[in-house]
Amino acid sequence: GQNIDQPTEMTATEGAIVQINCTYQTSGFNGLFWYQQHAGEAPTFLSYNVLDGLEEKGRFSSFLSRSKGYSYLLLKELQMKDSASYLCAVRDGGSYIPTFGRGTSLIVHP
Amino acid sequence: GAVVSQHPSRVICKSGTSVKIECRSLDFQATTMFWYRQFPKQSLMLMATSNEGSKATYEQGVEKDKFLINHASLTLSTLTVTSAHPEDSSFYICSAHSAEKLFFGSGTQLSVL
């Protein structure tokens, strides 16, 4: 089984930087995903990490440390539209289906 | 990225009726699709894996006779919630794999009165 932990809620100011952490425990590891989900909508893909290190994609970056069972999603130059739930999902060694964390609700205020 | 289309986006039905939800992969073939359920402020919970041309694989605790899945072609999977009850009210989302990534349909909000 898997245990994925991420904060329930975070708040940040428009224009700032926020880091959303995710820790996990899995039997084997085969990739970690970050998704963004606005209320009432389906998740949209943000990033995929399978090797250690930082993956940068525009305002969003994702970091992975497999030895620590740890990842973070970094959002820069926050915009009001970034207010959403951010889901960390991990795929263990025995499956190609990721298991989702509860999600972190990010509230961006002016 | 790949496009997954889901229909309808919202359904309101009476208790005891059945509801069918369709999931289509528009620009790729998906031999496997996944059905998730999400309650408010909760995580996505995998219900079942839909396999083209064969029986679906259900997760523990999901009733296969209540949640009927059909995957008759490489681009279409359907989920039928039979004899729906208010406790089945939830957000249902389908997804499919393409190039290591999971792409989601737009979701169906089911409300059973």
Side-chain angles (χ1 to χ4, degrees), chain B residues 61-87:
Chain B
V62 178
E63 300 175 56
K64 61 180 182 180
D65 294 331
K66 180 164 184 66
F67 298 100
L68 300 179
I69 291 173
N70 183 274
H71 195 149
S73 78
L74 287 171
T75 58
L76 174 64
S77 174
T78 61
L79 168 68
T80 301
V81 183
T82 62
S83 186
H85 290 282
E87 57 265 32

Side-chain angles (χ1 to χ4, degrees), chain A residues 9 30 33 35 37 40-45 48 57 85 87-88 91 96-103, chain B residues 32 34 36 38 41-46 49 51 59 91 93 97 100-107 109:
Chain A
E9 188 174 292
N30 191 22
F33 301 81
Y35 284 84
Q37 186 179 25
E41 299 180 11
T44 54
F45 172 83
Y48 171 61
K57 191 186 296 183
S85 182
L87 306 172
C88 173
R91 195 161 57 186
Y96 58 93
I97 307 170
T99 298
F100 286 82
R102 288 176 156 261
Chain B
T32 305
F34 308 97
Y36 290 86
Q38 186 178 35
K41 302 202 176 191
Q42 298 294 315
S43 180
L44 292 165
M45 297 302 297
L46 180 66
T49 301
N51 303 299
E59 295 300 302
F91 192 53
I93 313 174
H97 266 283
E100 290 292 318
K101 299 167 191 164
L102 202 59
F103 293 92
F104 290 87
S106 53
Q109 183 63 53

Side-chain angles (χ1 to χ4, degrees), chain B residues 10-72:
Chain B
R10 186 176 293 273
V11 179
I12 300 173
C13 68
K14 293 182 179 180
S15 186
T17 60
S18 294
V19 175
K20 180 187 280 188
I21 303 170
E22 292 188 351
C23 180
R24 295 179 186 273
S25 56
L26 295 187
D27 51 358
F28 66 104
Q29 294 182 333
T31 55
T32 305
M33 291 186 178
F34 308 97
W35 288 96
Y36 290 86
R37 180 168 54 185
Q38 186 178 35
F39 293 105
K41 302 202 176 191
Q42 298 294 315
S43 180
L44 292 165
M45 297 302 297
L46 180 66
M47 298 175 65
T49 301
S50 173
N51 303 299
E52 188 268 335
S54 64
K55 292 182 180 179
T57 305
Y58 290 82
E59 295 300 302
Q60 191 172 9
V62 178
E63 300 175 56
K64 61 180 182 180
D65 294 331
K66 180 164 184 66
F67 298 100
L68 300 179
I69 291 173
N70 183 274
H71 195 149

